[in-house]
């Protein structure tokens, strides 16, 4: 039923709701894929951290403070992250996450505008226009005040 084309008075509204539903579903999927990639980074970093701590043939430097342990973790985690981020797969997953988030935000904004118009409230676009005109008026008043001084 959800794939049947909408008909009737609420057709446009139904299309916007469907677009929002689909956009959020894609966003969740893309965010999940990116999260799995980041989980891989953490897993790699933890393995390397454990190996570094348990390696008896280390460089001879003993960790004597919590700060040194933290710095070692950060160094290893940043290296694992840098290796992952430089891959084409990660870039594609990150870009897809950003694109789906933008699509969902746009779908939400369009639906919000429709609802606001239906209950006779100003839309974001209208409020932005009013604020822009207010700033222009304030600048004009300041300029006139300076000329009078």
């Amino acid at each position: 039923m959800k794939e049947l084309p909408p008909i009737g008075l609420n057709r446009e509204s139904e299309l916007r709701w469907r677009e929002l539903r689909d956009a959020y579903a894609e966003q969740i999927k893309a965010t999940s894929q990116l999260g799995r990639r980041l989980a891989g980074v953490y897993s790699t970093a933890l393995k390397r951290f454990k190996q570094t701590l348990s390696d008896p043939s280390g460089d001879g430097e003993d960790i004597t403070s919590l700060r040194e342990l933290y710095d070692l973790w950060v160094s290893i985690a940043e290296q694992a992250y840098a290796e992952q981020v430089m891959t084409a797969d990660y870039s594609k997953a990150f870009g897809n996450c950003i694109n789906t988030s933008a699509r969902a935000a746009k779908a939400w904004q369009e639906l919000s505008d429709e609802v606001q118009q239906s209950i006779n409230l100003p839309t974001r676009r209208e409020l932005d226009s009013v604020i822009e005109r207010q700033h222009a008026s304030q600048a004009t008043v300041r300029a006139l005040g300076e000329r009078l001084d």
Side-chain angles (χ1 to χ4, degrees):
M1 290 291 290
K2 67 181 181 179
E3 298 305 321
L4 290 175
I7 57 174
L9 295 174
N10 294 328
R11 180 181 180 280
E12 295 296 323
S13 181
E14 177 66 24
L15 288 172
R16 282 191 180 79
W17 277 107
R18 287 182 183 188
E19 172 63 22
L20 181 64
R21 178 200 65 205
D22 294 344
Y24 274 126
E26 285 183 26
Q27 181 186 17
I28 289 168
K29 183 179 174 184
T31 302
S32 176
Q33 289 173 348
L34 184 61
R36 283 192 296 276
R37 297 217 175 272
L38 289 174
V41 170
Y42 289 124
S43 177
T44 300
L46 282 171
K47 286 177 189 173
R48 290 180 186 171
F49 186 62
K50 185 177 177 182
Q51 286 174 343
T52 302
L53 292 178
S54 64
D55 187 15
S57 64
D59 58 2
E61 291 185 32
D62 290 333
I63 297 174
T64 58
S65 72
L66 191 55
R67 181 62 190 196
E68 289 176 0
L69 184 66
Y70 174 76
D71 289 343
L72 177 63
W73 163 250
V74 168
S75 174
I76 290 170
E78 284 179 346
Q79 181 184 11
Y81 180 75
E83 289 170 3
Q84 179 67 26
V85 168
M86 294 301 181
T87 65
D89 289 341
Y90 182 87
S91 296
K92 184 177 178 181
F94 186 78
N96 190 32
C97 187
I98 297 298
N99 290 340
T100 56
S101 295
R103 178 180 170 217
K106 181 181 179 209
W108 177 251
Q109 187 62 52
E110 288 175 356
L111 187 62
S112 295
D113 286 349
E114 179 183 320
V115 169
Q116 288 169 322
Q117 285 176 343
S118 71
I119 58 175
N120 203 26
L121 288 175
T123 65
R124 181 181 179 133
R125 194 174 311 115
E126 292 169 339
L127 289 175
D128 287 345
S129 173
V130 168
I131 290 169
E132 188 177 313
R133 286 183 291 177
Q134 180 185 9
H135 285 296
S137 295
Q138 287 173 340
T140 303
V141 167
R142 262 194 303 268
L144 289 173
E146 288 173 4
R147 285 177 58 190
L148 288 174
D149 290 340

